[in-house]
Amino acid sequence: MDFYNRRYDGIQALRGIAAISVLINHIAFIGCGGFGVDIFFCISGFIMMYVTHNSSKYFFVKRIIRIVPLYYLITFITYIGMIVVPSAFENASADFAGLIRSLLFIPFDNAGALQPFVRVGWTLSYEIFFYVVVWVALKINSEYRAYIASGFIICVVTLGRLISFDNAFYTFYTDPILIEFVFGMMAFELLRLNEEKYAECKKAEKIVLLSIAALLFAVMWIPGYYDISGDYRYIWYGVPALLIFCFVFMACYKTVIPRLFVWLGDISFSLYLIHYFIIRAYNRFIYNGNNINLSVIIMLILFIVLILALSTVSYYIFEKKLTSFFRKFLK
């Protein structure tokens, strides 16, 4: 089946758009776009099923190689920064125990939230947890890995809703946001079994699918939308993220995607990890609660260009080369 032997640039483009959304969310005078994370989780659920279809050999090691090196590098840079310039990190403290927890993806209270030193790294803790679940599911039965992993996640989340336990690890890893990985796995099963229904979509049909996805995406930018999500983020953000993913996937299937969007997807992981502290610096030293004027906007554009440049360098010089280097030992 052609489904299992393609490069999905549409997914890559959506990943890039999600990363830009998270960046925008951290701009002080905008504060909206955090649903990019929910799109990430849906994509991850799909991709982990896709990459393990033909071969699951070294699955967990490959995922660690993909995520950990850059995350560790930025974590150590952050830790050193917290020691050298503590005033730049508000209420966070550079304690060694926090560093170890950050490196081991163990949630802890960091400046009032369950997050590592690299604050956006909280999503990676969920990613690693999901990889472990998929790895176990593969060991049990690779053919039914999606159902086994989904069942486990649903049980864990249900347990967290039924039994309250005052423990950061328990609270973090029973959060309903994990359901969004299930959405991604569900999308994989639905899309792979119905390929013939969308594989030959006409241009007009693809435009309709992309228009619906764009409309759903736009709705989540409505001011105050996040306020209604609360504990049901996996519904208010997760369900639209799932639909956006499915519509984009079907519309972009066997379609050439503009290189700009694919490039954004390629650098999305570096962009996600790098952007936070740069945008925080912009919020604090450039915007700083002042009125929005031309100079503030120009500086924002320059800061975003800087983030894109650093992310591109990180992707080509660090991510690609380091991943390739480590993967040599798996052959």
Side-chain angles (χ1 to χ4, degrees), residues 17-282:
I17 293 171
I20 293 296
S21 298
V22 175
L23 184 158
I24 293 173
N25 179 63
H26 290 132
I27 299 172
F29 56 83
I30 298 180
C32 183
F35 49 81
V37 166
D38 308 86
I39 295 175
F40 280 143
F41 286 171
C42 286
I43 291 175
S44 185
F46 176 94
I47 292 297
M48 291 311 105
M49 295 301 100
Y50 178 80
V51 300
T52 55
H53 176 77
N54 292 326
S55 175
S56 59
K57 189 176 182 180
Y58 301 125
F59 164 74
F60 190 72
V61 175
K62 287 179 180 178
R63 302 321 303 170
I64 292 295
I65 289 172
R66 179 68 184 88
I67 282 182
V68 166
L70 183 60
Y71 171 68
Y72 273 18
L73 174 65
I74 296 181
T75 295
F76 282 119
I77 291 174
T78 302
Y79 182 65
I80 293 170
M82 293 169 76
I83 294 173
V84 177
V85 194
S87 60
F89 293 86
E90 299 177 350
N91 298 322
S93 58
D95 63 293
F96 186 71
L99 173 64
I100 298 301
R101 291 190 181 99
S102 295
L103 296 176
L104 295 178
F105 302 98
I106 299 172
F108 66 100
D109 190 322
N110 178 27
L114 295 179
Q115 57 194 6
F117 284 160
V118 180
R119 295 189 180 186
V120 293
W122 66 270
T123 62
L124 300 186
S125 296
Y126 283 124
E127 289 281 356
I128 294 294
F129 178 80
F130 176 53
Y131 299 158
V132 171
V133 171
V134 172
W135 178 76
V136 172
L138 285 166
K139 296 298 182 182
I140 296 173
N141 188 307
S142 61
E143 183 179 356
Y144 297 103
R145 63 198 182 286
Y147 303 102
I148 296 170
S150 297
F152 179 80
I153 288 174
I154 291 172
C155 287
V156 166
V157 170
T158 301
L159 179 65
R161 298 309 93 192
L162 294 177
I163 302 175
S164 179
F165 186 51
D166 187 18
N167 177 272
F169 189 93
Y170 178 85
T171 299
F172 188 86
Y173 286 116
T174 59
D175 193 289
I177 200 171
L178 288 167
I179 296 295
E180 293 173 357
F181 291 114
V182 176
F183 289 166
M185 291 186 283
M186 180 172 63
F188 173 81
E189 293 297 326
L190 291 173
L191 291 169
R192 77 181 182 90
L193 294 174
N194 293 279
E195 181 188 14
E196 70 282 354
K197 294 182 180 179
Y198 59 81
E200 303 301 328
C201 273
K202 295 180 175 58
K203 185 176 180 180
E205 295 171 325
K206 292 185 176 185
I207 291 174
V208 170
L209 289 171
L210 285 177
S211 297
I212 296 173
L215 178 61
L216 289 169
F217 188 73
V219 166
M220 291 195 287
W221 287 93
I222 296 175
Y225 184 86
Y226 181 76
D227 295 336
I228 65 175
S229 61
D231 291 337
Y232 297 96
R233 174 174 179 157
Y234 73 101
I235 295 177
W236 292 107
Y237 276 6
V239 171
L242 167 63
L243 294 174
I244 289 169
F245 172 80
C246 290
F247 292 145
V248 169
F249 181 92
M250 290 186 288
C252 296
Y253 193 70
K254 295 184 178 181
T255 301
V256 178
I257 306 300
R259 182 57 199 169
L260 172 64
F261 291 103
V262 178
W263 164 70
L264 281 176
D266 289 342
I267 67 170
S268 60
F269 182 56
S270 286
L271 190 155
Y272 181 76
L273 287 178
I274 288 172
H275 85 275
Y276 182 75
F277 293 116
I278 296 176
I279 289 297
R280 291 284 292 179
Y282 168 83

Side-chain angles (χ1 to χ4, degrees), residues 290-305:
N290 297 319
N291 293 327
I292 302 173
N293 51 45
L294 183 60
S295 63
V296 169
I297 297 300
I298 290 175
M299 287 302 296
L300 174 60
I301 293 172
L302 292 175
F303 269 68
I304 292 176
V305 170

